[in-house]
Amino acid sequence: MDELKFYLSIFMRRLPYFLVVATIVSAISFAVALSLPPAYESQMRLVVEAPQIPEDLARSTVRTPALEQLQIIEQRLMTRANMLDIARRLDVLPQADEMSPDDIVRAMRSRTAISTTSGRSAATMMTVSFEAGQARKAADVMNEYLNIIQATDAEFRRGRAGETLEFFAQEVSRLGDELSENSARIVAFKQENTDALPESLDFRLSKRSELRERMVIAERDVSRLKGQRDRLVELYETTGRTDLETLQSPPSQSELQLQQLETELSQALLIFSEENPKVKLLRGRINILQAEIDESRAVPISSTANADSTAAPNLIDIEIGEVDVEIALLQEQAAALADEVATITATIERTPEVSVTLEEMERNYALIQNQYKAAEERLARAQTGDLIESRSRGQRVAVIEQPNVPNSPTKPNRVLIAGGGTAFGITLGIGLVVLIELMKSSIRRPEDLVSRFGISPFTTVPYIRTQQQVFVQRGIKLLMVLSIVIGIPALIYAMHIYYLPVDLVAEKVMNRLGVRW
């Protein structure tokens, strides 16, 4: 009980300090609670709707998560340009002409409240509210917000779908041009290397084998004819005669050769056509031999037997001449065949290089073609996605609760402001008294002597005031209390009337801090 009286006496001694702080804070709280203008709050609710067309049938190219989509909309809504435009166009803030653009933006953002809710197997929703001094202005601002949100959502989705469509259209065009260029290069390369293309390699190999076989046959015929010519020359040089009996005896050498050539011709016709060089050569030789035989038969045998020995060399010369002609023809044919074989061999040797280059070009062509096909498929999906977004059949933000004009103010809670301010002032005053006492180290009780100096007094004599001193002291305290209790509210009221209204002061403070009551 003594402890309680002691602390109560200390509190009464510091009562002026407590009253100053508690009265100031309480008076300001009451003044603010009574003078704050009413605040009307308009609200709307939005939801992110799923695509109206099933994704397994047609899918949009804009695939933004619902929560991310709302966050993007929120950031675009709360831009500085939007806040300034709405505040100035609708005259939302009082005394906006005296506010800087930064203050206007800060005040608009502090009056706007946006909250989003999302969860697994739950719809993603957004709640937007705005607070204004007039109900109609609050609703007008919310309608502007709604227009901006819907326009931003449509622009965002259509813009992304359009950009995707434009990108793939350009990609298809670019790949198409590359495909045409590569195709033209392949065609030009094939035209430049027609004789060395890999697809004709088997034909050229078989043709070279055929030509080599024909060349061997021609060389063999040349060797045979050269041997025949050498035997004729050796016969004439050895015997000095032409052996006319042999010529008269059937069949003659030319006839035997004619028979052999006709046999070879009939065999060749079984394999080759009339246009084949080998067939033509055999026919030429047959015609020459046939002409020689006909000419020899036209000369009488008796005149031949009785002819001068000088006719023998003519027959030899004729025979040798015929052989030389055949040898020349066969050698010319062999040379032509050798040139053709060399040409074909050169193309065969070039084929691997041409094949490697052509394979690389065709591989690049196939790669670009695959890219082109993939780009065409993506372009088709992008066109479908753009059509879905242009008709608003994809994921979109829908309004489930339109902005309303509030019928009654939602703020301020005057009782809460006044009561809370008073409680805060009392707490602050008590805290000030405690702080002062903790900072003061004077001795007031015997217990202080014991705790500080370790001595125990025999007795204590309190300070005894006269009746006049008590009266004066109580009068001063009463005067101080009355001056604090009456003077401070009067001072605040005078400031509210003659300098600046308290509600405007509170409004400026909240705008500066970016908070609302």
Side-chain angles (χ1 to χ4, degrees), residues 77 79-92 101 104-105 108 141 144-145 148:
L77 173 65
T79 58
R80 179 185 180 91
N82 287 338
M83 296 295 102
L84 288 175
D85 177 65
I86 294 174
R88 290 170 176 171
R89 184 156 44 85
L90 301 180
D91 192 20
V92 178
I104 294 176
V105 173
M108 289 293 292
V141 172
E144 289 293 329
Y145 281 180
I148 293 174

Side-chain angles (χ1 to χ4, degrees), residues 184-195 197:
R185 282 198 294 267
I186 291 175
V187 172
F189 182 79
K190 285 186 175 181
Q191 291 176 349
E192 293 174 359
N193 301 274
T194 307
D195 55 347
L197 295 176

Side-chain angles (χ1 to χ4, degrees), residues 494-509:
M495 182 187 70
H496 175 75
I497 297 298
Y498 299 105
Y499 176 66
L500 189 66
V502 177
D503 56 337
L504 293 182
V505 175
E507 186 77 17
K508 288 185 176 182
V509 171

Side-chain angles (χ1 to χ4, degrees), residues 217-235:
I217 294 173
E219 290 175 352
R220 187 173 63 243
D221 290 342
V222 169
S223 299
R224 181 178 56 78
L225 291 173
K226 284 183 178 180
Q228 183 180 348
R229 183 180 182 280
D230 293 339
R231 286 193 299 272
L232 289 173
V233 172
E234 183 180 359
L235 176 63

